[in-house]
Amino acid sequence: MWGILFVAPAVLGFVLWQLGPIIGSLFIAFTDWRLAGTPQWIGAGNFEKILAEDRLFRKSLGVTVYYSLGSVPLRMLVAFALAVLLNQKIRALPVFRTIFYLPSIVPVIASSMLWLWLFNPDFGLLNSILRPLGFPKLQWIYASDSVIPALILMSLWDIGPMMIIFLAALQGVPRQLYEAVEIDGGNAWHRMRHITVPIVTPAILFNLILSIIVAMQTFTQAYVMTDGGPNNNSLLYVLYLYRKAFEQSQMGYASALAWVLFIIIAGLSLFVFRSSSRWVYYGGR
Amino acid sequence: MKTGARSSRLGRTARRRLGKAVVYLLCALGSVLMLIPLAWLVRSSVMSLGQIFTFPPEWIPSPWRWENYPQALTSIPFFRYFVNTLVILVPSVLGTVITSTLAAYGFSRLQWPGRDIVFGILLTTLMLPYAVTLIPTFLLWASLGLVGTYWPLIVPHFFGGGIFYIFLLRQFFMTLPKELDEAAIIDGASPPQVLWYVIVPLSRPALITVVIFATLFEWNDFLEPLIYINRSSQHTLALGLAEFTGLYTSQWHLLMAASTVVILPVLVLFFFAQRYFIEGIALTGTKG
Amino acid sequence: MFSRLRFTAGLVIALAVAGTTLAQVELTFTFWGGTFERDAVNQTLEVFNSLHPNIHVTGQHIPNAGYNEKISTMAAGGTLPDAGYMDSSMALRWATDGLIKDLTTQFANDPMAADRLENMWYRWDNGTKTIGTAAAVESMILYYNRDLFDAAGIDYPPEFASEAWTWDEFVDIAKQLTVDRQGNNAASPDFDPDNIDVFGIAFPTWWAGWLPFVYSNGGQLASDDGTELLINRPEAVEALQALQDLIYVHHVAPTPAQSQSLPAADIMMQSGKVAMSVDGHWKTLAMSQLGFNWSFGVLPMHQRPATLIWGGVTVIFEGTEHPDEAFELINFLSDPTQSALFTRGLWMPLQRIYYTDEAKAAEWLDAVPGVYPPESRGVLLDYTLNHTPRQPPVFWLKNLDQIWTDAVNPAMSLLWTGEASAQEAMDQAVRDSEGLMQGRW
């Protein structure tokens, strides 16, 4: 009874502001709607076209999966490592934490400028450092085979929020447990493996689900920096969808694309959630 | 036996020292990587447009163009946008923290039928790309006659504040030992009292995290104000920053100066908020 | 906070009510642009309001980054403004779908309209309907850094199309201007293409950067009936291959960055890292503020001198209740005597007389000292008027947005990254255009 009361505002908010638009977008997905006039019902036409004919749908899905497979595990690992690092008892901790969070504060418009400049093959900072070290002239986001790796590299830069979530979770690790392991003769690895990781598994689950959702919907980098190029090799799914929706005014087709992506993400999330009962440890249970 | 114990303790101190050195080294190295962007941003903000992009890159402005700042701050009505941003941000963050805490509590520590299914349904709202719900949501607010006001930007935050924050808090609440609630309930506390006196005090890092995230999100949010605000006089700082870029020409030096000013308040906020993640527990255990 | 909000909302309503009692007609006008353009347009709107006591226009400046989202959302919600800027391909599509007004009769009754450059009209329905002309004219020209030319002892790029460099002359000059870190230029046998310090030429990779050269070589993007791409034909391929060779064979051009908003060429030219740059006339505004010794000339040519002219369109939306007042407004915004955009180097006038009559030309070219260099008479007047052989496809090719994003741009990127030859890349473009070619608007 109390439980329902507590979640009531959130559920009401969902019903009021989100359920309608979600159902609306599902309806639009079954129509041909070009913003003018009323949507024309065309049944599963959009979905048939997407699955049967649309080569760019396949291309963009492939690009997105490639990007996600690279960025999700790397971001998780680096964010966790940073959180552990910044959970040490060291001097100037607030300064270090703030510095590592900084990239996430920089407005996107300024940070994408920065990365365009870093990645520039002729005038960029990265090549100006690497080339004297004997590296060849790397093309970064300007070559078909390196554009996604470059974007993955870039995605490691604003992991501040993930790091913070891990850091907050690490606060919940009771100190006595470490002392117990120490008394049993365990080393740092044992502490990490048997205490730290199990206790932060709820945060790991959160970050994993969220980073899958975020990675699959990555848009801004491709929109601002690569425009999907070269040769569609960074045509992330949501960029393709965006073009359909806001450049070509094909709202029906765009909605259908969105629902296909939704089903994929929901499936992945459900899979992760199902598996989580085997690896997530909740102190409250 | 005795000597063995001492030598192992000595070895451990040495190892600990070494470990600490490694930690500092990594922090310093990482900091440099993370600071390059900020350094670039700040030095660009006191350069001429021409010097920003010279190659090889220059790090010291010559001359220092401090006039970029007054120029940037008068190119857009900065103070008004700042106030507008706060008018949206303060109630939004407040609403988010309060209602997401309530909901997270209801989804984690209280049992009721269908709980996890309802949670799962709410979670799906993160999975549908904004591009397709944007227009239906707009139509909803338009039918209420509220487009052109701040209401669409504030009111939803008092209804759960977004599943992201609920999910985040839920994950933290679930790590707290169940015995705490049980003991409080045996002492005659009602669930609201348990939440307020037991759960909230123990979840300070998580709640601060929500405040930071929500503040930053509102501070930098571009799309929602763009869609719902019509008059320039109602614009927020994030919209103001975008005014510096034209289709073909952009005043990057002014944009960088304005960005620096916009970053500063959240930077300070973060610096002070992060200390609530209390001092690190340190793998060495107790103090010393 | 909330009472404040309510107060603000109340104030807004009060002001709106007060506004309607003062003026009979309320118009909303949406536009994009940087801070300079924003202020200039707002200023023009103020003048318009003061000259038209019966009309009150509210300018709504929308950042470029979100213009399409905002305008699409407004369209869906039925809350489009009375008039506004629009991307031209999108505007023609929206016109066909009935969201934008046909202005044929308004323009027929406007004596000044006939003098607008013929190539600037956006028409649809086989040329029977029009959304108007572009708001202003833009053309592609060749900017250069005078100091670099002086230092190399080379004559400046020609001012008149009749003296335009041939492609071979141009490549030779670009080579002499391209210098490596040891100081050897690209014509020297000791030249080190891996360590270039100054590039001879930079050009943008979007369509306006390469289409003039395709036209100059007698090629075109698509057939006149809009049913097939001709970009893989020899005339087009030759011109495109010549551009690619500037980067990878002659090593006189930097690898083109993809983003057009990155201040690549003008900034690099100011800092002496690029000697010449192909860019739009609108860059004059930025150039004139950078404070270096620059000017512009005509583009190099293949078979004949050619550039292209076009411009973004200002439309009147179908839902407006005041089409006549809105028409007056968009004409006012395109009037060189009213808008600072023309005299400061962002826009060029639409009327022929501003190109043919010296006194009229001086009204925009000489109004603000230090904006337009002396070469403007040749580069902006003669070149614009007499050497624009074709109307760019933005004016007439149906489904162009999708043709760009799905077929042409991916192929072009292969060209710019050097991953395919012009022929291979353009063959791919033609293959990928299958099903996208839908004729003319």
Side-chain angles (χ1 to χ4, degrees), chain B:
Chain B
M1 186 78 178
K2 217 173 183 180
T3 46
R6 192 187 313 151
S7 81
S8 108
R9 194 176 302 147
L10 275 176
R12 219 158 61 194
T13 337
R15 265 218 314 276
R16 219 173 273 161
R17 287 236 174 90
L18 186 72
K20 212 148 227 188
V22 171
V23 167
Y24 275 113
L25 192 75
L26 286 174
C27 281
L29 207 72
S31 298
V32 171
L33 286 177
M34 296 289 167
L35 277 177
I36 288 176
L38 192 78
W40 186 79
L41 186 86
V42 174
R43 61 110 225 187
S44 302
S45 74
V46 278
M47 282 182 170
S48 68
L49 191 51
Q51 206 191 352
I52 294 178
F53 296 96
T54 50
F55 185 87
E58 288 172 26
W59 291 94
I60 311 294
S62 74
W64 292 71
R65 281 181 52 103
W66 295 108
E67 64 265 35
N68 286 351
Y69 279 86
Q71 214 182 327
L73 300 191
T74 48
S75 291
I76 57 173
F78 205 87
F79 183 71
R80 174 186 293 211
Y81 288 2
F82 177 73
V83 171
N84 291 344
T85 308
L86 287 187
V87 167
I88 298 170
L89 183 145
V90 172
S92 296
V93 172
L94 209 68
T96 298
V97 174
I98 294 170
T99 57
S100 66
T101 305
L102 293 177
Y105 182 62
F107 279 124
S108 59
R109 305 191 71 85
L110 300 170
Q111 298 295 335
W112 46 280
R115 184 185 81 171
D116 292 348
I117 293 169
V118 172
F119 179 73
I121 291 172
L122 292 200
L123 201 56
T124 58
T125 54
L126 285 177
M127 302 171 191
L128 203 58
Y130 84 90
V132 296
T133 45
L134 187 69
I135 286 180
T137 312
F138 177 84
L139 295 179
L140 184 77
W141 288 105
S143 71
L144 296 173
L146 292 174
V147 170
T149 72
Y150 289 154
W151 295 111
L153 307 176
I154 297 172
V155 172
H157 295 279
F158 282 86
F159 292 86
I163 187 67
F164 175 85
Y165 304 108
I166 298 175
F167 186 17
L168 179 64
L169 287 175
R170 169 191 183 264
Q171 292 307 92
F172 279 95
F173 291 172
M174 284 176 88
T175 60
L176 301 173
K178 196 81 190 166
E179 300 79 50
L180 291 172
D181 311 29
E182 283 159 4
I185 292 204
I186 289 167
D187 287 349
S190 64
Q193 286 170 321
V194 174
L195 174 62
W196 184 247
Y197 292 108
V198 180
I199 305 295
V200 167
L202 286 172
S203 307
R204 233 168 27 174
L207 290 171
I208 295 290
T209 306
V210 169
V211 172
I212 293 175
F213 286 1
T215 305
L216 261 177
F217 178 81
E218 295 299 326
W219 191 256
N220 286 334
D221 188 21
F222 173 75
L223 192 70
E224 292 233 315
L226 172 85
I227 295 300
Y228 291 107
I229 293 173
N230 285 333
R231 285 169 182 272
S232 309
S233 59
Q234 292 175 299
H235 275 192
T236 60
L237 284 175
L239 287 175
L241 283 187
E243 290 180 30
F244 286 101
T245 57
L247 191 54
Y248 301 111
T249 53
S250 296
Q251 295 183 295
W252 297 108
H253 55 312
L254 300 185
L255 173 67
M256 295 304 164
S259 297
T260 307
V261 178
V262 168
I263 290 171
L264 215 61
V266 273
L267 191 66
V268 171
L269 174 86
F270 183 85
F271 184 81
F272 286 105
Q274 65 79 38
R275 88 194 149 93
Y276 288 97
F277 303 117
I278 42 181
E279 286 296 300
I281 38 137
L283 292 178
T284 51
T286 47
K287 283 181 186 172

Side-chain angles (χ1 to χ4, degrees), chain A residues 68-79:
Chain A
S68 305
L69 283 177
S71 88
V72 172
L74 273 176
R75 278 167 61 94
M76 295 281 292
L77 270 175
V78 174

Side-chain angles (χ1 to χ4, degrees), chain C residues 156-234:
Chain C
Y156 301 138
E159 173 190 353
F160 288 96
S162 53
E163 295 150 19
W165 286 333
T166 64
W167 195 262
D168 291 339
E169 287 169 342
F170 163 67
V171 170
D172 276 345
I173 288 163
K175 279 183 175 174
Q176 293 176 53
L177 291 163
T178 305
V179 183
D180 70 13
R181 289 194 215 292
Q182 267 66 51
N184 298 314
N185 71 29
S188 140
D190 299 327
F191 177 68
D192 175 10
D194 282 332
N195 285 295
I196 298 172
D197 185 34
V198 179
F199 287 93
I201 176 81
F203 57 92
T205 56
W206 58 295
W207 59 267
W210 48 262
L211 203 49
F213 303 109
V214 171
Y215 288 164
S216 171
N217 205 36
Q220 50 181 325
L221 177 77
S223 59
D224 286 332
D225 61 4
T227 56
E228 67 176 320
L229 281 189
L230 301 178
I231 193 77
N232 67 340
R233 298 292 169 85

Side-chain angles (χ1 to χ4, degrees), chain C residues 166-168 170-171 174 201 203 210 213-214 217 234-253 300-302 415-416 421-423:
Chain C
T166 64
W167 195 262
D168 291 339
F170 163 67
V171 170
I201 176 81
F203 57 92
W210 48 262
F213 303 109
V214 171
N217 205 36
E235 312 84 57
V237 166
E238 225 176 87
L240 293 171
Q241 188 61 54
L243 283 170
Q244 191 195 38
D245 289 348
L246 293 177
I247 310 169
Y248 298 102
V249 174
H250 307 302
H251 303 290
V252 295
M301 64 166 193
H302 290 284
L415 190 66
W416 308 134
S421 72
Q423 189 68 57

